[in-house]
Amino acid sequence: MYFELSEEHKLLRESAREFAKSLLEGVIERDEQAKFPFEQVQQMGELGFMGMMVSEAYGGAGMDTLAYAIAIEELSKVDASAGVIMSAHNSLVLYGLQEFGTEAQKEKYLKPLASGKKLGAFALSEPEAGSDATSQHSTAEDKGDHYLVNGIKNWITNGGNADIYLVIAQTHPEKQHRGINVLIIEKGMPGFTVGPKENKLGIRSSDTHSLSFNDVKVPKENRIGEDGFGFKFAMKTLDGGRIGIAAQALGIAAGAYQLALAYAKERKTFGKPISEHQAIQFKLADMEVEIEAARMLTYKAAWLKDQGKPFAKEAAMAKLLASEVAMKTTVEAVQIHGGYGYVKEYHVERMMRDAKITQIYEGTSEIQRLVIARDILK
């Protein structure tokens, strides 16, 4: 086995790391004000981060899943909100369009999305469904040459600032999950409205909204895949999305660890740096071990996907471990900082708040365990 990154991946990591430094300016203000990072997202598009895995033929960077995971990790070390904006756009929207969209759909929607000129959102969760793609109360009634879409979607990342939405809705209730479709819906279509921004605990500068559809007329050519393909589309998309969330959690953990390590070397008690106290050393050692384990799982899941091998179990494992490591590491980072860890200027309290969501979206930790268990028991 070979664990060394390629030169291309190393260069990508340095580029992402350098850009992440610019995210530090204003990150506390964006968090406090729940302010969407418009300028930073535009720059991410210019650098190719908003179309990383899309072929150059469609305006993307033509890179692999591992490069994508590395970039999200580096951005999330500083600003997890920027990481999740990029993650949802790439893995939940662009992946599905490139893999399953028609050439006409790719020309019309994928190209501007991959260039970063437009932003995408994936609308699956509902008030009573959460991550359960089989329980879709939103409907897409077949009207011959178009669908009439009705329903509500909840917890949609990029919901307020997206231009293009991939919406999962039920067309044939009698067929249950085999009757679900995925439709491309544009902002501004009559009957489509965006609800107020959610006032969240963490990742506050990424926007999360509910979406309402009231007899939204969607052309038939905006359906992705065959009739009834929506459930399979959602499952394949979520598998890849878990790699992005694992990378985001990994970045949060690594960023908090780096801050805790630097603080432990500077902060003195009883005449010496607290890093010389064995209790602190044990905490730092545990952080390093757990972060590296999460990194290996995340990178392995990305590598498997790039090799065309089954990766659903590994993606769930990576997401499960990385999210738990992110939560544990950020709590310990606050503890190492003491009272300073509880104030905003030291960043770790924000990271602790950001970490919690990684245990919730793309399926809770319990759902990841179910995915893993079903794979090992089948």
Side-chain angles (χ1 to χ4, degrees):
M1 299 180 71
Y2 187 65
F3 292 97
E4 184 72 19
L5 292 177
S6 69
E7 289 303 315
E8 183 181 27
H9 287 126
K10 288 178 182 178
L11 288 171
L12 181 277
R13 182 178 61 188
E14 290 307 311
S15 176
R17 190 171 290 173
E18 190 63 29
F19 173 71
K21 293 177 183 177
S22 70
L23 293 174
L24 189 61
E25 182 178 354
V27 68
I28 294 174
E29 177 189 357
R30 293 194 299 273
D31 174 74
E32 288 182 328
Q33 299 178 6
K35 182 180 178 183
F36 190 83
F38 290 103
E39 181 181 343
Q40 290 77 10
V41 171
Q42 182 180 4
Q43 292 170 349
M44 286 158 60
E46 293 168 356
L47 290 168
F49 293 149
M50 299 303 281
M52 290 199 69
M53 298 176 288
V54 175
S55 166
E56 294 179 11
Y58 297 108
M63 302 193 79
D64 59 14
T65 313
L66 179 56
Y68 159 72
I70 291 168
I72 292 179
E73 177 187 352
E74 293 300 326
L75 268 57
S76 299
K77 286 179 181 178
V78 178
D79 186 355
S81 292
V84 75
I85 292 167
M86 174 188 161
S87 175
H89 177 84
N90 274 277
S91 63
L92 300 183
V93 181
L94 272 62
Y95 166 76
L97 273 171
Q98 177 165 250
E99 289 296 309
F100 307 111
T102 64
E103 282 302 313
Q105 290 169 348
K106 292 175 185 179
E107 285 292 326
K108 184 175 181 180
Y109 297 112
L110 184 59
K111 281 189 173 181
L113 287 166
S115 68
K117 293 178 181 177
K118 289 190 176 181
L119 186 64
F122 180 66
L124 170 65
S125 297
E126 297 188 355
E128 297 179 9
S131 298
D132 182 4
T134 64
S135 300
Q136 294 298 303
H137 295 283
S138 295
T139 59
E141 187 179 357
D142 192 337
K143 292 293 185 178
D145 65 343
H146 68 276
Y147 292 97
L148 274 186
V149 179
N150 287 277
I152 296 174
K153 295 293 183 177
N154 268 22
W155 319 116
I156 308 304
T157 300
N158 299 339
N161 288 287
D163 305 283
I164 309 298
Y165 301 76
L166 303 189
V167 180
I168 307 296
Q170 178 64 263
T171 300
H172 308 287
E174 71 281 2
K175 296 181 180 180
Q176 299 178 331
H177 70 279
R178 293 183 178 86
I180 294 171
N181 280 310
V182 54
L183 305 175
I184 304 169
I185 296 182
E186 301 176 37
K187 180 176 282 183
M189 283 184 168
F192 173 29
T193 57
V194 177
K197 181 189 294 185
E198 300 290 351
N199 188 10
K200 300 175 298 187
L201 172 72
I203 56 166
R204 288 175 53 78
S205 66
S206 76
D207 65 314
T208 304
H209 295 256
S210 61
L211 310 176
S212 296
F213 305 93
N214 184 14
D215 283 343
V216 180
K217 186 177 179 180
V218 182
K220 266 285 179 67
E221 58 263 28
N222 280 31
R223 186 187 72 206
I224 298 178
E226 296 297 319
D227 188 24
F229 180 65
F231 176 76
K232 288 184 178 179
F233 179 94
M235 293 300 97
K236 291 178 181 292
T237 299
L238 288 176
D239 283 341
R242 289 181 179 120
I243 296 174
I245 299 310
Q248 183 193 357
L250 171 61
I252 295 170
Y257 165 69
Q258 289 171 358
L259 290 174
L261 178 61
Y263 182 82
K265 291 178 178 180
E266 296 170 2
R267 172 67 169 163
K268 291 185 177 181
T269 60
F270 305 104
K272 61 182 181 180
I274 63 172
S275 60
E276 295 185 19
H277 297 296
Q278 199 172 67
I280 299 299
Q281 292 177 356
F282 286 174
K283 289 180 184 294
L284 293 170
D286 286 345
M287 288 179 180
E288 175 73 9
V289 170
E290 291 166 359
I291 290 168
E292 189 63 18
R295 182 175 287 116
M296 290 297 99
L297 268 180
T298 302
Y299 285 13
K300 180 184 178 182
W303 179 83
L304 286 170
K305 183 172 182 287
D306 289 332
Q307 300 303 309
K309 298 176 182 291
F311 68 93
K313 180 185 73 173
E314 287 76 11
M317 290 168 65
K319 196 267 187 186
L320 173 63
L321 180 63
S323 63
E324 294 189 347
V325 169
M327 197 70 248
K328 180 180 177 181
T329 300
T330 53
V331 169
E332 291 286 37
V334 170
Q335 193 71 22
I336 288 172
H337 278 75
Y340 291 107
Y342 213 64
V343 297
K344 293 185 181 297
E345 65 180 291
Y346 284 80
H347 298 287
V348 288
E349 67 85 28
R350 170 174 54 85
M351 292 176 165
M352 184 175 70
R353 289 186 284 107
D354 288 347
K356 186 58 191 175
I357 191 62
T358 66
Q359 295 181 307
I360 298 173
Y361 54 19
E362 300 306 314
T364 63
S365 297
E366 290 74 22
I367 289 177
Q368 307 314 312
R369 289 183 171 92
L370 283 174
V371 172
I372 297 163
R374 286 170 181 169
D375 186 277
I376 62 180
L377 292 171
K378 69 182 180 182

